[in-house]
Amino acid sequence: MSPSPSPRPFVYADHRLTCSGVDLTALAEEFGTPLYVYSAEAIRERAGLLQAEFASIPHTLCYAVKANSSLAILKLLAGLGCGFDIVSGGELERVRRAEPSALRQVVFSGVGKQVWEIDAALQSEILLFNVESEAELEVLSQRASLSGKTARIALRVNPDVFAETHPYISTGMREHKFGIDIQRARHVYQHAARLPGIEPAGVSVHIGSQIRAVEPFAQSLQRVRCLVEELRSDGLSIRYVDGGGGFGIEYGFEAFDPAASVAAYAAAIRSVLQGLHVHLLLEPGRFLVAQAGALLTRVLYTKQNGAKHFVITDAAMNDLIRPALYQAHHEILPVLETSPQRPTVTVDVVGPVCESGDFFARDRALPELRSGDLAVLLDAGAYGFSLASHYNTRVHPAEVLIDQGQARLIRRRETLDDLFAPELL
Ligand SMILES: *Cc1c(COP(=O)(O)O)cnc(C)c1O
């Protein structure tokens, strides 16, 4: 059987796991563990796939900063022509520090924008505010008027479309907190058009995350298209359709062809928007960065409780919370591909944090891992580091970016002094 090409940059060479050609054992020795490792090439490749598929229509990829907000990753994406989807004033500041010229390509999403965040975004002359409520619209109008600015807005509409994904990351149905009911949107746009400092310029939608099927995207954009046509007949100049993010990946070892997946996704979107003459904005996060990254960890101990075997790693739920939070699956690979003399064992892979929810895998058949061995958790480039916490007074891991065969430290490991710095005795 010939293996299908890997959708990941983490592959074995001479039985040693590498990332874009760089040996992971060497990285662990140089930078320590736990360590987030990303491949710049893999991120470029994903961005290139999307850009190529949408090349025939005016579009901007506004990378969802929350997926992985490291400054070096943002700078890399800005260099590829990406804009950014932000959800806080902190993320706005990240874009400014990574690449100030990218502020003009920022869309600002989120249900709870605060006044200081709105003011900072107005001063930065971002591309578009994705407004999620009428109350927010009033505040935005007041702040824009005060500062003599005009805010281009899209209402984030809630299309009431069901998409198969984990309930915590599904957002496009009426019972969710996100967006404005699409039935009411036309009325709210009419109101918005009369508000000082507000310029309705687009319609926005985001139905959730890790959505593998193409139909929910097409269905929701079809509803958006109808709304755009109504709004234009009402005299509004709607130029932007923001299709949100959410395009999913394969976290297991099932065959996954990113190029074919993007082609299907793009074909569906292009077909729905055909002839509408809008500038398409997309907010991909996970699709761009998840598979470009992995969490490298060292086995501290192994132990057996009754029939259960545990592998205890130096990474924990505070470094990568997806398994605990979403019951997410991450494939685990030993860094040294062990020969047949290592048996396969069914184990729980767990971290040192004092919670039973601190696990990376349960009842997983893996080649036996021993104390001192290195392993990686794959597909940890999105919602990995960005969701890390200091729980159990553990420092954040370091991050390295591999580019052209070179490993570059993009975030040093925190020290305990970093951790205590804001505290007062
Ligand atoms: C989280 C989020 C995204 C990115 O979702 P992915 O699944 O990572 O592509 C895009 N837009 C909005 C509004 C989001 O909240």
Side-chain angles (χ1 to χ4, degrees), residues 266-340:
I269 292 179
R270 287 194 317 258
S271 130
V272 172
L273 296 182
Q274 175 126 46
L276 193 62
H277 301 294
V278 287
H279 187 111
L280 175 67
L281 305 172
L282 291 172
E283 305 169 350
R286 185 190 316 267
F287 183 80
L288 289 177
V289 296
Q291 299 195 293
L295 178 58
L296 179 59
T297 182
R298 199 177 284 281
V299 176
L300 295 172
Y301 304 105
T302 60
K303 71 186 240 181
Q304 207 174 335
N305 277 354
K308 296 251 343 157
H309 291 258
F310 292 93
V311 172
I312 303 161
T313 60
D314 63 2
M317 66 185 288
N318 71 294
D319 306 306
L320 176 63
I321 203 175
R322 297 190 68 259
L325 190 59
Y326 310 120
Q327 292 86 46
H329 177 92
H330 286 269
E331 292 292 354
I332 298 175
L333 291 177
V335 166
L336 296 183
E337 202 172 29
T338 43
S339 45

Coordinates of all heavy atoms in Angstrom, one line a residue, residues 266-340:
A266 N -14.1 25.9 -2.0 CA -14.0 27.1 -2.8 C -15.1 27.1 -4.0 O -15.7 28.1 -4.3 CB -12.6 27.4 -3.4
A267 N -15.2 25.9 -4.6 CA -16.1 25.8 -5.7 C -17.6 26.1 -5.2 O -18.3 26.8 -5.9 CB -16.1 24.4 -6.3
A268 N -17.9 25.6 -4.0 CA -19.2 25.8 -3.5 C -19.5 27.3 -3.2 O -20.5 27.8 -3.6 CB -19.4 25.0 -2.2
I269 N -18.5 27.9 -2.6 CA -18.6 29.3 -2.3 C -18.7 30.2 -3.5 O -19.5 31.1 -3.7 CB -17.5 29.8 -1.3 CG1 -17.6 29.1 0.0 CG2 -17.5 31.3 -1.2 CD1 -16.5 29.4 1.0
R270 N -17.8 29.9 -4.5 CA -17.8 30.7 -5.7 C -19.1 30.6 -6.4 O -19.6 31.5 -7.0 CB -16.6 30.2 -6.6 CG -15.2 30.6 -6.2 CD -14.2 30.4 -7.3 NE -14.4 29.2 -8.0 CZ -13.7 28.1 -7.9 NH1 -12.7 28.1 -7.0 NH2 -13.9 27.0 -8.6
S271 N -19.7 29.4 -6.4 CA -20.9 29.1 -7.2 C -22.1 29.9 -6.5 O -22.9 30.5 -7.2 CB -21.2 27.6 -7.3 OG -22.4 27.3 -6.9
V272 N -22.1 30.0 -5.2 CA -23.2 30.7 -4.5 C -23.0 32.2 -4.8 O -24.0 32.9 -4.9 CB -23.2 30.4 -3.0 CG1 -24.2 31.3 -2.3 CG2 -23.5 29.0 -2.7
L273 N -21.8 32.7 -4.8 CA -21.6 34.1 -4.9 C -21.5 34.6 -6.4 O -21.3 35.8 -6.6 CB -20.3 34.6 -4.2 CG -20.4 34.3 -2.7 CD1 -19.1 34.8 -2.0 CD2 -21.6 35.0 -2.0
Q274 N -21.6 33.7 -7.3 CA -21.4 34.0 -8.7 C -22.3 35.2 -9.2 O -23.5 35.3 -8.9 CB -21.9 32.8 -9.6 CG -21.9 33.1 -11.0 CD -21.0 32.0 -11.7 OE1 -21.1 30.8 -11.4 NE2 -20.2 32.4 -12.6
G275 N -21.7 36.2 -9.8 CA -22.4 37.4 -10.3 C -22.8 38.4 -9.2 O -23.5 39.4 -9.6
L276 N -22.5 38.1 -8.0 CA -23.0 39.1 -6.9 C -22.0 40.3 -6.9 O -22.4 41.3 -6.3 CB -23.0 38.4 -5.6 CG -23.7 39.1 -4.4 CD1 -25.2 39.3 -4.8 CD2 -23.6 38.3 -3.1
H277 N -20.8 40.2 -7.4 CA -19.9 41.3 -7.4 C -19.6 41.8 -6.0 O -19.9 43.0 -5.7 CB -20.3 42.4 -8.4 CG -20.5 41.9 -9.8 ND1 -19.4 41.5 -10.5 CD2 -21.6 41.7 -10.5 CE1 -19.9 41.0 -11.7 NE2 -21.2 41.2 -11.7
V278 N -19.1 41.0 -5.2 CA -18.7 41.4 -3.8 C -17.2 41.1 -3.7 O -16.6 40.2 -4.4 CB -19.5 40.7 -2.7 CG1 -20.9 41.3 -2.6 CG2 -19.5 39.2 -2.9
H279 N -16.6 41.7 -2.7 CA -15.2 41.3 -2.2 C -15.4 40.3 -1.1 O -16.1 40.6 -0.1 CB -14.5 42.6 -1.8 CG -13.1 42.3 -1.4 ND1 -12.0 42.8 -2.2 CD2 -12.5 41.6 -0.4 CE1 -10.9 42.4 -1.6 NE2 -11.1 41.7 -0.6
L280 N -14.9 39.1 -1.4 CA -15.1 38.0 -0.4 C -14.0 38.1 0.7 O -12.9 38.2 0.4 CB -15.0 36.7 -1.1 CG -15.1 35.5 -0.2 CD1 -16.5 35.3 0.5 CD2 -14.8 34.2 -1.0
L281 N -14.5 38.1 1.9 CA -13.6 38.0 3.1 C -13.7 36.6 3.7 O -14.9 36.1 3.8 CB -13.8 39.0 4.1 CG -13.9 40.5 3.7 CD1 -14.4 41.4 4.8 CD2 -12.5 40.9 3.2
L282 N -12.7 35.9 4.0 CA -12.7 34.6 4.7 C -11.9 34.7 5.9 O -10.9 35.4 5.9 CB -12.3 33.5 3.8 CG -13.2 33.2 2.6 CD1 -12.5 32.2 1.7 CD2 -14.5 32.6 3.1
E283 N -12.3 34.0 7.0 CA -11.6 34.1 8.2 C -11.0 32.7 8.7 O -11.4 32.2 9.7 CB -12.5 34.6 9.3 CG -13.2 35.9 9.0 CD -14.3 36.3 9.9 OE1 -14.7 35.5 10.7 OE2 -14.8 37.5 9.8
P284 N -10.2 32.1 7.9 CA -9.7 30.8 8.2 C -8.7 30.9 9.4 O -7.9 31.8 9.4 CB -9.0 30.3 7.0 CG -8.5 31.5 6.3 CD -9.6 32.6 6.6
G285 N -8.8 30.0 10.3 CA -7.8 29.9 11.4 C -7.2 28.5 11.4 O -6.1 28.3 10.9
R286 N -8.0 27.6 11.9 CA -7.5 26.2 12.0 C -6.9 25.6 10.7 O -5.8 25.0 10.7 CB -8.7 25.3 12.5 CG -8.3 23.9 12.8 CD -9.6 23.0 13.0 NE -10.6 23.7 13.8 CZ -10.7 23.6 15.1 NH1 -9.9 22.8 15.7 NH2 -11.6 24.3 15.8
F287 N -7.6 25.8 9.6 CA -7.2 25.2 8.4 C -5.7 25.6 8.0 O -5.0 24.9 7.5 CB -8.1 25.5 7.2 CG -7.7 24.9 5.9 CD1 -8.1 23.5 5.7 CD2 -7.0 25.5 5.0 CE1 -7.7 22.9 4.6 CE2 -6.6 24.9 3.8 CZ -6.9 23.6 3.6
L288 N -5.4 26.9 8.3 CA -4.1 27.4 8.0 C -3.0 26.9 8.9 O -1.9 26.7 8.4 CB -4.1 28.9 8.0 CG -4.9 29.7 6.9 CD1 -4.8 31.2 7.2 CD2 -4.3 29.3 5.6
V289 N -3.2 26.8 10.2 CA -2.1 26.5 11.1 C -2.2 25.3 11.9 O -1.1 24.9 12.4 CB -2.0 27.7 12.1 CG1 -1.6 29.0 11.3 CG2 -3.2 28.0 12.9
A290 N -3.3 24.6 12.0 CA -3.4 23.4 12.9 C -2.4 22.4 12.6 O -1.6 21.9 13.4 CB -4.8 22.8 12.9
Q291 N -2.3 22.0 11.3 CA -1.5 20.8 11.0 C 0.0 21.2 10.8 O 0.9 20.3 10.7 CB -2.0 20.1 9.7 CG -3.4 19.6 10.1 CD -4.0 18.6 9.1 OE1 -4.2 18.9 7.9 NE2 -4.1 17.3 9.5
A292 N 0.3 22.5 10.7 CA 1.6 23.0 10.6 C 2.4 22.9 12.0 O 3.6 23.1 12.0 CB 1.6 24.4 10.2
G293 N 1.6 22.6 13.1 CA 2.2 22.6 14.4 C 2.1 21.3 15.1 O 1.1 20.5 14.9
A294 N 3.0 21.1 16.1 CA 2.8 19.9 17.0 C 3.4 20.3 18.3 O 4.2 21.3 18.4 CB 3.6 18.7 16.4
L295 N 3.0 19.6 19.3 CA 3.5 19.8 20.7 C 4.5 18.7 21.0 O 4.1 17.5 21.0 CB 2.4 19.9 21.7 CG 2.8 20.1 23.2 CD1 3.6 21.3 23.4 CD2 1.5 20.1 24.1
L296 N 5.7 19.1 21.2 CA 6.8 18.1 21.5 C 6.9 17.9 23.0 O 7.0 18.9 23.7 CB 8.1 18.6 20.9 CG 9.4 17.8 21.0 CD1 9.2 16.4 20.5 CD2 10.5 18.5 20.3
T297 N 6.9 16.7 23.5 CA 6.9 16.5 24.9 C 7.7 15.3 25.3 O 8.0 14.4 24.4 CB 5.4 16.3 25.4 OG1 5.4 16.1 26.8 CG2 4.8 15.0 24.8
R298 N 8.2 15.3 26.5 CA 9.0 14.1 27.0 C 8.3 13.3 28.0 O 7.5 13.9 28.8 CB 10.4 14.7 27.6 CG 11.4 13.6 27.6 CD 12.8 14.2 28.2 NE 13.5 15.0 27.2 CZ 14.3 14.5 26.3 NH1 14.4 13.2 26.0 NH2 15.0 15.3 25.5
V299 N 8.4 12.0 27.9 CA 7.8 11.1 28.9 C 8.5 11.2 30.2 O 9.8 11.0 30.3 CB 7.8 9.7 28.4 CG1 7.2 8.8 29.5 CG2 7.0 9.6 27.1
L300 N 7.8 11.6 31.3 CA 8.4 11.6 32.6 C 8.4 10.2 33.3 O 9.5 9.7 33.7 CB 7.6 12.6 33.5 CG 7.6 14.1 33.1 CD1 6.7 14.9 34.0 CD2 9.0 14.6 33.2
Y301 N 7.3 9.6 33.3 CA 7.1 8.3 34.0 C 6.1 7.5 33.3 O 5.3 8.0 32.5 CB 6.6 8.6 35.4 CG 7.4 9.5 36.3 CD1 6.9 10.8 36.5 CD2 8.6 9.1 36.8 CE1 7.7 11.6 37.3 CE2 9.4 9.9 37.6 CZ 8.9 11.2 37.9 OH 9.6 12.1 38.6
T302 N 6.2 6.2 33.5 CA 5.0 5.4 33.2 C 4.6 4.7 34.5 O 5.4 4.5 35.4 CB 5.4 4.3 32.1 OG1 6.5 3.5 32.7 CG2 5.9 5.0 30.8
K303 N 3.3 4.3 34.5 CA 2.9 3.6 35.7 C 1.6 2.8 35.4 O 1.0 3.0 34.3 CB 2.6 4.5 36.9 CG 1.4 5.4 36.7 CD 1.4 6.4 37.9 CE 0.1 6.3 38.7 NZ 0.1 7.2 39.9
Q304 N 1.3 1.9 36.3 CA 0.2 1.0 36.0 C -0.7 1.1 37.3 O -0.2 0.9 38.4 CB 0.7 -0.4 35.9 CG -0.2 -1.3 35.1 CD 0.4 -2.7 34.8 OE1 1.6 -2.8 34.8 NE2 -0.5 -3.7 34.6
N305 N -2.0 1.4 37.1 CA -3.0 1.3 38.2 C -4.0 0.2 37.8 O -4.8 0.4 37.0 CB -3.7 2.6 38.4 CG -2.9 3.6 39.2 OD1 -1.9 3.3 39.7 ND2 -3.4 4.9 39.3
G306 N -3.9 -0.9 38.5 CA -4.8 -2.0 38.1 C -4.5 -2.4 36.7 O -3.3 -2.6 36.4
A307 N -5.5 -2.4 35.9 CA -5.3 -2.8 34.5 C -4.9 -1.7 33.6 O -4.5 -1.9 32.4 CB -6.6 -3.4 33.9
K308 N -4.9 -0.5 34.2 CA -4.6 0.7 33.3 C -3.1 1.0 33.3 O -2.5 1.1 34.3 CB -5.4 1.9 33.8 CG -6.9 1.8 33.8 CD -7.7 2.6 32.8 CE -7.3 3.8 32.1 NZ -8.2 3.8 30.9
H309 N -2.7 1.4 32.1 CA -1.3 1.8 31.9 C -1.3 3.3 31.6 O -2.1 3.8 30.8 CB -0.6 1.1 30.7 CG -0.4 -0.3 31.0 ND1 0.8 -0.9 31.3 CD2 -1.3 -1.4 30.9 CE1 0.7 -2.2 31.4 NE2 -0.5 -2.5 31.2
F310 N -0.5 4.0 32.3 CA -0.4 5.5 32.1 C 1.0 5.9 31.6 O 2.0 5.4 32.1 CB -0.7 6.2 33.4 CG -2.1 6.1 33.9 CD1 -2.5 5.1 34.8 CD2 -3.1 7.0 33.4 CE1 -3.8 5.0 35.2 CE2 -4.4 6.8 33.9 CZ -4.7 5.8 34.7
V311 N 1.0 6.8 30.7 CA 2.2 7.5 30.2 C 2.1 8.9 30.7 O 1.1 9.6 30.3 CB 2.4 7.4 28.7 CG1 3.6 8.2 28.3 CG2 2.5 5.9 28.3
I312 N 3.0 9.4 31.5 CA 2.9 10.7 32.1 C 3.9 11.6 31.4 O 5.1 11.3 31.4 CB 3.1 10.7 33.6 CG1 2.1 9.8 34.3 CG2 3.0 12.1 34.2 CD1 2.5 9.3 35.7
T313 N 3.4 12.6 30.7 CA 4.3 13.5 29.9 C 4.6 14.8 30.6 O 3.8 15.2 31.5 CB 3.7 13.8 28.5 OG1 2.4 14.5 28.8 CG2 3.4 12.6 27.7
D314 N 5.6 15.5 30.2 CA 5.8 16.9 30.8 C 4.9 17.9 30.2 O 4.9 19.0 30.8 CB 7.3 17.3 30.7 CG 7.9 17.4 29.3 OD1 7.1 17.3 28.3 OD2 9.1 17.7 29.2
A315 N 4.2 17.7 29.2 CA 3.1 18.6 28.7 C 1.8 18.2 29.4 O 1.7 17.0 29.8 CB 3.0 18.5 27.2
A316 N 1.0 19.2 29.6 CA -0.3 18.9 30.3 C -1.4 19.7 29.7 O -1.2 20.5 28.7 CB -0.1 19.3 31.7
M317 N -2.6 19.6 30.3 CA -3.8 20.3 29.7 C -3.6 21.8 29.7 O -4.2 22.5 28.9 CB -5.0 19.9 30.6 CG -5.0 20.4 32.0 SD -6.4 19.9 33.0 CE -7.7 20.9 32.4
N318 N -2.7 22.3 30.6 CA -2.5 23.8 30.5 C -1.8 24.2 29.3 O -1.9 25.4 28.8 CB -1.8 24.3 31.8 CG -0.3 23.8 31.7 OD1 0.0 22.7 31.8 ND2 0.6 24.8 31.6
D319 N -1.0 23.3 28.6 CA -0.3 23.6 27.4 C -1.2 23.3 26.2 O -1.1 24.0 25.2 CB 0.9 22.7 27.3 CG 1.8 22.8 28.5 OD1 2.2 23.9 28.8 OD2 2.1 21.7 29.1
L320 N -2.0 22.3 26.3 CA -2.9 21.9 25.1 C -4.2 21.4 25.7 O -4.2 20.3 26.2 CB -2.2 20.8 24.3 CG -3.1 20.3 23.1 CD1 -3.4 21.4 22.1 CD2 -2.4 19.1 22.4
I321 N -5.2 22.2 25.7 CA -6.5 21.9 26.4 C -7.5 21.2 25.6 O -8.6 20.8 26.1 CB -7.0 23.2 27.1 CG1 -7.9 22.8 28.3 CG2 -7.8 24.0 26.1 CD1 -8.4 23.9 29.1
R322 N -7.3 21.1 24.3 CA -8.3 20.6 23.4 C -8.9 19.3 23.8 O -10.1 19.1 23.7 CB -7.8 20.6 21.9 CG -7.5 22.0 21.4 CD -7.3 22.0 19.9 NE -8.5 21.8 19.2 CZ -8.8 20.6 18.6 NH1 -8.0 19.6 18.6 NH2 -10.0 20.5 18.0
P323 N -8.1 18.3 24.2 CA -8.7 17.0 24.6 C -9.6 17.2 25.8 O -10.7 16.6 25.8 CB -7.5 16.1 24.9 CG -6.4 16.7 24.1 CD -6.6 18.2 24.1
A324 N -9.2 18.0 26.8 CA -10.0 18.1 28.0 C -11.3 19.0 27.7 O -12.3 18.7 28.2 CB -9.2 18.8 29.0
L325 N -11.1 20.0 26.8 CA -12.2 20.9 26.6 C -13.2 20.4 25.6 O -14.4 20.6 25.7 CB -11.6 22.3 26.1 CG -12.6 23.5 26.1 CD1 -13.2 23.8 27.4 CD2 -11.8 24.7 25.6
Y326 N -12.8 19.8 24.5 CA -13.7 19.4 23.4 C -13.7 17.9 23.1 O -14.1 17.5 22.1 CB -13.2 20.1 22.1 CG -13.0 21.5 22.1 CD1 -11.7 22.1 21.8 CD2 -14.0 22.4 22.4 CE1 -11.5 23.4 21.7 CE2 -13.8 23.8 22.4 CZ -12.5 24.3 22.0 OH -12.3 25.6 22.0
Q327 N -13.1 17.1 24.0 CA -12.9 15.7 23.7 C -12.2 15.5 22.4 O -12.5 14.6 21.6 CB -14.2 14.9 23.7 CG -15.0 14.8 25.0 CD -15.9 16.0 25.3 OE1 -16.6 16.5 24.5 NE2 -15.7 16.5 26.5
A328 N -11.3 16.4 22.1 CA -10.6 16.4 20.8 C -9.6 15.3 20.7 O -9.0 14.9 21.7 CB -9.9 17.7 20.6
H329 N -9.4 14.8 19.5 CA -8.5 13.7 19.3 C -7.2 14.3 18.7 O -7.3 15.0 17.7 CB -9.1 12.7 18.3 CG -8.1 11.6 17.9 ND1 -8.1 10.4 18.6 CD2 -7.2 11.5 17.0 CE1 -7.1 9.6 18.1 NE2 -6.6 10.3 17.1
H330 N -6.1 14.0 19.3 CA -4.8 14.3 18.7 C -4.0 13.0 18.5 O -3.8 12.3 19.4 CB -4.0 15.3 19.5 CG -4.5 16.7 19.5 ND1 -4.0 17.6 18.6 CD2 -5.4 17.3 20.2 CE1 -4.7 18.8 18.8 NE2 -5.6 18.6 19.8
E331 N -3.5 12.8 17.3 CA -2.6 11.6 17.1 C -1.3 11.9 17.8 O -0.8 13.0 18.0 CB -2.3 11.4 15.6 CG -3.5 11.0 14.8 CD -4.0 9.6 15.1 OE1 -3.4 8.9 15.9 OE2 -5.1 9.2 14.6
I332 N -0.7 10.8 18.3 CA 0.5 10.9 19.1 C 1.5 10.0 18.4 O 1.3 8.8 18.1 CB 0.3 10.4 20.6 CG1 -0.7 11.3 21.2 CG2 1.6 10.3 21.3 CD1 -1.1 10.9 22.6
L333 N 2.7 10.5 18.2 CA 3.8 9.7 17.5 C 5.0 9.8 18.4 O 5.4 10.8 19.0 CB 4.2 10.4 16.2 CG 3.2 10.3 15.0 CD1 3.7 11.0 13.8 CD2 2.9 8.8 14.7
P334 N 5.7 8.6 18.5 CA 7.0 8.6 19.2 C 8.0 9.3 18.2 O 7.9 9.2 17.0 CB 7.4 7.2 19.3 CG 6.6 6.5 18.3 CD 5.4 7.3 18.0
V335 N 9.0 10.1 18.8 CA 9.9 10.8 18.0 C 10.9 9.8 17.4 O 11.4 10.0 16.3 CB 10.6 11.9 18.8 CG1 11.8 12.5 18.1 CG2 9.6 13.0 19.1
L336 N 11.3 8.8 18.1 CA 12.1 7.7 17.5 C 11.2 6.6 17.1 O 10.5 6.0 18.0 CB 13.2 7.3 18.5 CG 14.2 8.3 18.9 CD1 15.3 7.7 19.8 CD2 14.9 9.0 17.6
E337 N 11.2 6.3 15.8 CA 10.3 5.2 15.4 C 10.9 3.9 15.9 O 12.0 3.5 15.4 CB 10.3 5.2 13.8 CG 9.1 4.6 13.3 CD 9.0 4.8 11.8 OE1 10.0 5.0 11.1 OE2 7.9 4.8 11.3
T338 N 10.2 3.4 16.8 CA 10.9 2.2 17.5 C 10.6 1.0 16.7 O 9.5 0.7 16.2 CB 10.4 2.1 18.9 OG1 9.0 2.3 18.9 CG2 11.0 3.1 19.8
S339 N 11.6 0.2 16.6 CA 11.6 -1.1 15.9 C 10.6 -2.1 16.5 O 10.1 -1.8 17.6 CB 13.0 -1.6 15.8 OG 13.6 -1.5 17.1
P340 N 10.4 -3.2 15.9 CA 9.5 -4.2 16.4 C 9.7 -4.6 17.8 O 8.7 -5.1 18.4 CB 9.6 -5.4 15.4 CG 10.3 -4.8 14.2 CD 11.1 -3.6 14.7

